Amino acid sequence: MAELFTPSKRDSDKRQSAPSRLINCYREPSSDRTGHVLKSSLGTEAFAETSGVLMRAMEEVGGIIYCVAGGELYSVSASGGVSTLGVVTDHPETTISGNNGKITVVAGGSYYVWDGTTLSNPAPGAFSDFGSVEFLGQRTILTERDGRRVQWSGVVDAETLGGLDYATTESTDDNNVRALVIVGNLWIFKERSTEIWALTGGSGVFSPITGATIETGLLEFGLITKIPNAAALIGDDGIVYATNGAQLQPISTTAVETDIKNHDATRMFYHEDDGHKNIVVRFSDRPAWVCDIATGEWHERAE
C-alpha cells in the first residue's frame, strides 16, 4: 500500500527498482492520518469546436481566445461561440500574440495581423522568414526562423516593420527556435543556448542583458509552455526545466527523462485544478507526464 501512494516514478530502464506508477491520479496533501489522499485527474468537456483537425496554437488576448487550427485563425467567445477570421499557413510552428487590440500570428514562416476586420501579411522588414511572435514594450517582436536575428515593430503598430529595427543573438553560434516574454524580459530560446533580452530605456531598442546567457537550448519548437510568471520547457539535453526569472531549474525525474529520450514528446501545456498548477509533457506514443508544481511530484495521464 505504501508504494501505491508514492509519486509516479516508473522508469522503463528500471522497472523492478521503480515499480510505482500513478496514472490519471495524483497525490494531494491532507491533514488526516495518512497525510495525503489520491485525487483523480480532471476530465474534459467540449467547450467549442473548430473545423480544423490539428490545433496549432491557442492564446487568450483581451478576454477572447484565439486559436489556429487546420490552417485557419479563429476567435472563441466566453460563451463558446466560434468565428473564422482568415486563412493562415497550417504548420506545427505557430504562435499567437496581441498588440493593443490587434492579433498577431506567425505560422510556418509567415507573419499575419488581424486588425478586427481584415487578416493581412505586413511587409517584411529586416527579414521575411519568421519563427515566432511576442509582445513587449508596446512593440510586436519577431524572431527569424532558422536564423539569429530578432526584429520589432513600431510602437503600437504591429504592421510596420522597419528594416533597421533588429538585432542578432550573438552570444553563441546557434539559431533561434522561438521567443517568450517572461516577467518583463524577452527570453530567446535557441538550439543550444538561451539569451535574455530587455528593452533599453526609452530608446526602443531590444538588446541582451549582460551575462544573461544560459548554456541550454530548446529541444523542439513545441516543447515549451508559459506558466504564471514563468515558463517550463524541455532543454536540448532532454531535461525538463522551469524558469525562476533568471535561470533554468531542472524539475524532471530520471523516469521522465528516460521517456523523453526513448519516446516522441510532441507538446507541452499548463493547466490548473483546484489549486494544483500542472505542467504537462505530452507524447504521441505513451501517457503524458504531469508535474504538480505545488508538490513537485510527477504523475501520468493517459487521456
Side-chain angles (χ1 to χ4, degrees):
M1 181 64 69
E3 277 294 308
L4 178 63
F5 284 93
T6 60
S8 188
K9 56 183 180 180
R10 183 65 174 264
D11 189 333
S12 58
D13 284 351
K14 307 177 182 63
R15 291 180 184 267
Q16 294 180 337
S17 62
S20 61
R21 192 174 188 185
L22 295 183
I23 300 181
N24 295 336
C25 59
Y26 57 92
R27 296 206 307 172
E28 182 174 68
S30 69
S31 57
D32 60 14
R33 185 176 61 183
T34 63
H36 51 255
V37 296
L38 283 183
K39 184 174 181 179
S40 63
S41 299
L42 283 174
T44 59
E45 182 177 328
F47 174 69
E49 184 176 349
T50 67
S51 59
V53 176
L54 298 175
M55 181 71 68
R56 300 303 192 181
M58 181 170 62
E59 190 74 30
E60 184 271 326
V61 182
I64 299 174
I65 295 173
Y66 294 89
C67 63
V68 171
E72 293 187 288
L73 174 65
Y74 299 92
S75 65
V76 183
S77 69
S79 61
V82 177
S83 298
T84 304
L85 307 182
V87 176
V88 301
T89 302
D90 183 27
H91 197 277
E93 297 182 1
T94 299
T95 53
I96 303 172
S97 189
N99 187 329
N100 293 277
K102 296 181 179 180
I103 304 305
T104 56
V105 177
V106 164
S110 298
Y111 176 49
Y112 306 87
V113 175
W114 169 256
D115 63 6
T117 303
T118 304
L119 185 67
S120 64
N121 287 108
F127 51 83
S128 59
D129 196 5
F130 303 97
S132 64
V133 62
E134 271 285 7
F135 176 77
L136 181 62
Q138 299 299 311
R139 294 166 172 83
T140 291
I141 304 166
L142 298 144
T143 58
E144 183 177 21
R145 187 184 184 195
D146 298 324
R148 293 191 293 148
R149 289 176 291 179
V150 179
Q151 66 176 308
W152 48 90
S153 72
V155 177
V156 196
D157 186 1
E159 290 100 334
T160 302
L161 302 175
L164 299 179
D165 294 329
Y166 77 95
T168 306
T169 54
E170 297 180 342
S171 295
T172 55
D173 188 20
D174 51 333
N175 289 333
N176 305 329
V177 179
R178 64 184 295 178
L180 216 60
V181 172
I182 304 172
V183 196
N185 287 326
L186 182 69
W187 287 56
I188 303 172
F189 296 93
K190 306 176 68 178
E191 295 168 328
R192 298 181 303 279
S193 64
T194 301
E195 297 186 16
I196 307 175
W197 287 30
L199 185 62
T200 306
S203 64
V205 174
F206 288 91
S207 58
I209 299 173
T210 302
T213 297
I214 302 168
E215 294 183 357
T216 300
L218 179 61
L219 183 61
E220 291 182 12
F221 188 91
L223 299 180
I224 188 169
T225 183
K226 292 181 181 179
I227 59 179
N229 299 311
L233 66 137
I234 300 179
D236 64 308
D237 53 6
I239 296 172
V240 183
Y241 294 91
T243 64
N244 65 356
Q247 290 294 328
L248 298 177
Q249 299 292 333
I251 61 172
S252 53
T253 64
T254 301
V256 175
E257 292 162 13
T258 297
D259 283 332
I260 290 171
K261 177 181 177 181
N262 295 331
H263 296 273
D264 179 28
T266 58
R267 183 71 63 174
M268 291 183 67
F269 63 93
Y270 166 85
H271 72 88
E272 298 185 10
D273 174 18
D274 196 22
H276 292 269
K277 303 177 185 298
N278 297 307
I279 299 167
V280 181
V281 180
R282 189 174 183 183
F283 296 80
S284 67
D285 54 354
R286 74 168 317 279
W289 277 105
V290 184
C291 180
D292 179 2
I293 299 176
T295 62
E297 296 178 354
W298 289 83
H299 62 279
E300 297 171 81
R301 183 160 179 172
E303 295 183 9

